[in-house]
Amino acid sequence: MRNMVKEEKYESIRINGEGKIEDGEVLLKKGEKFDQYLIVMERHQFKEALNYRETVLMNVDRVPEIIFVLVSDDFKQEDNGIIKNLVDSNIGSVIVIDSNRGDVSNIYGCSGDAYNEINKQAKKTIEIRDGGFKGAIIKLKSNWITAVFLLSNILIYIITGIFSKNIIDMDIEVLLEFGALYKGLVLAGQYHRIISSGFLHAGIMHLAMNMLALYVLGIMIEEIFGKVKFGLIYMGALISGSIATIIFGGNVISVGASGAIFGLLGAAFAYGFIMRKRIGKSFMNSLLQAILINVFIGVLVPGINNIAHLGGLVGGAVLGGIFLAVKKR
């Protein structure tokens, strides 16, 4: 729900939290007498409702109608008090969405147009969560930088498969011709391999595992950091993973997007650590488990470039931390 899909009456705009709140999406509908803003917040943001309202008010030309849209799949007892305070304070209308049910409930002072819009968005939540391929396409329309990286990797794999005359396993000579990472060739001046190797894959399972991870992590990181910063994190982590391989990896031939993907894990770690007081410990605990599991698999399974993974992880964490620190100023 954080990246709302543009509808006919509403346009999606970004708000800059300027360190007080998270940057996020707001739906705007311009009217003759006033503009209507739908402020969509997830559960961990509910307590910041007043700050969100103040941020919107600082960036409007005329008095707006503000409608808070509270979205969660796990409402707690304490949320009722927050919702009641919002309603009693008359700072704006309030809509509550239980995304497990996929419908709108507990509507407080909401106009008909806003109700209809939010009901559409609630249904999109169900399509994204339970809609399989259709849901994935809906999500990727909003997170199109992730889609570009996915399609680039898949397209290049198909091309190398054609040249290899084998769609299951790539020919090593073809991979080298298309830009696989090899220390000797990089030091000889073929610096493009630092980037090109991150878009090549050795086989169909290699591609499938990396693209699944990119889809899941890419959507999350693109939503947290925004499109430009997400793209910089992905490419920066890819480069740092390749450079780490050149420095510490010896004369190995290396391909794959996993260095960049580990960079997304690093950026998520930076986000979880810096925002830990706001989002709680569960995010960090889950993330650390995912990182440790992947590192453990890398140690056990032969042929995995763990140095690229660690280089990408560090690169992504550093870039994510820098972007978050700059945002807070």
Side-chain angles (χ1 to χ4, degrees):
M1 289 294 292
R2 289 187 61 188
N3 272 7
M4 307 292 280
V5 180
K6 186 183 292 185
E7 295 291 340
E8 183 177 352
K9 294 183 179 180
Y10 290 83
E11 61 174 318
S12 178
I13 61 173
R14 295 285 298 180
I15 59 171
N16 184 351
E18 298 178 349
K20 296 179 180 179
I21 58 173
E22 295 179 39
D23 293 356
E25 298 281 350
V26 172
L27 283 181
L28 165 65
K29 184 183 78 170
K30 291 186 175 295
E32 292 182 5
K33 297 182 178 180
F34 58 85
D35 298 332
Q36 184 183 81
Y37 291 82
L38 306 184
I39 303 177
V40 183
M41 295 186 293
E42 298 172 5
R43 185 176 182 274
H44 70 273
Q45 301 168 309
F46 292 173
K47 294 180 181 179
E48 301 293 332
L50 290 174
N51 287 333
Y52 275 87
R53 178 178 180 271
E54 290 175 6
T55 302
V56 171
L57 289 176
M58 287 189 299
N59 293 279
V60 298
D61 299 324
R62 52 181 176 167
V63 177
E65 176 189 7
I66 293 180
I67 300 176
F68 292 97
V69 185
L70 309 182
V71 184
S72 179
D73 58 1
D74 184 27
F75 280 99
K76 305 292 186 183
Q77 185 65 34
E78 60 263 28
D79 297 333
N80 293 329
I82 296 173
I83 294 167
K84 185 177 185 302
N85 288 336
L86 286 177
V87 175
D88 292 343
S89 64
N90 293 317
I91 63 171
S93 303
V94 179
I95 303 174
V96 178
I97 295 180
D98 182 341
S99 56
N100 269 332
R101 294 212 315 265
D103 61 1
V104 179
S105 60
N106 301 331
I107 305 157
Y108 304 98
C110 178
S111 66
D113 282 346
Y115 171 84
N116 292 333
E117 173 68 18
I118 293 302
N119 209 18
K120 290 177 185 176
Q121 300 302 336
K123 289 177 180 177
K124 283 187 173 67
T125 301
I126 294 302
E127 288 181 334
I128 289 169
R129 193 183 70 240
D130 299 331
F133 182 74
K134 180 181 179 182
I137 295 300
I138 291 172
K139 197 66 176 172
L140 286 173
K141 283 182 179 179
S142 295
N143 300 277
W144 60 269
I145 300 295
T146 300
V148 167
F149 285 135
L150 283 167
L151 291 173
S152 298
N153 278 279
I154 293 170
L155 178 60
I156 291 171
Y157 183 83
I158 292 172
I159 293 171
T160 54
I162 292 171
F163 278 85
S164 297
K165 299 179 181 179
N166 186 340
I167 203 65
I168 304 300
D169 293 302
M170 299 298 103
D171 186 299
I172 191 67
E173 295 296 330
V174 171
L175 292 176
L176 282 169
E177 186 69 25
F178 274 80
L181 189 69
Y182 185 69
K183 181 176 180 178
L185 293 175
V186 174
L187 295 180
Q190 298 183 22
Y191 302 117
H192 66 278
R193 294 178 181 274
I194 292 173
I195 293 176
S196 61
S197 59
F199 292 89
L200 297 169
H201 288 84
I204 191 69
M205 289 304 298
H206 187 203
L207 176 75
M209 295 298 291
N210 277 350
M211 293 307 97
L212 177 61
L214 174 56
Y215 172 75
V216 174
L217 289 169
I219 286 174
M220 179 179 70
I221 300 302
E222 188 173 346
E223 289 182 351
I224 290 173
F225 287 90
K227 300 185 187 311
V228 173
K229 292 175 183 176
F230 163 67
L232 291 174
I233 289 169
Y234 185 90
M235 294 304 298
L238 189 161
I239 292 169
S240 66
S242 293
I243 290 175
T245 300
I246 293 168
I247 296 173
F248 303 108
N251 288 314
V252 297
I253 297 173
S254 179
V255 295
S258 52
I261 292 167
F262 264 78
L264 302 184
L265 279 173
F269 178 84
Y271 172 77
F273 180 77
I274 292 172
M275 306 294 290
R276 61 192 182 280
K277 291 183 179 179
R278 179 176 294 179
I279 65 177
K281 296 180 179 179
S282 59
F283 179 86
M284 280 294 287
N285 290 338
S286 299
L287 189 62
L288 285 171
Q289 289 175 19
I291 293 173
L292 290 173
I293 289 171
N294 279 280
V295 170
F296 186 67
I297 291 172
V299 171
L300 290 181
V301 178
I304 292 180
N305 187 350
N306 295 298
I307 293 174
H309 292 180
L310 293 175
L313 183 70
V314 172
V318 170
L319 285 172
I322 290 172
F323 290 146
L324 291 167
V326 170
K327 181 192 295 187
K328 281 195 167 187
R329 288 181 179 178

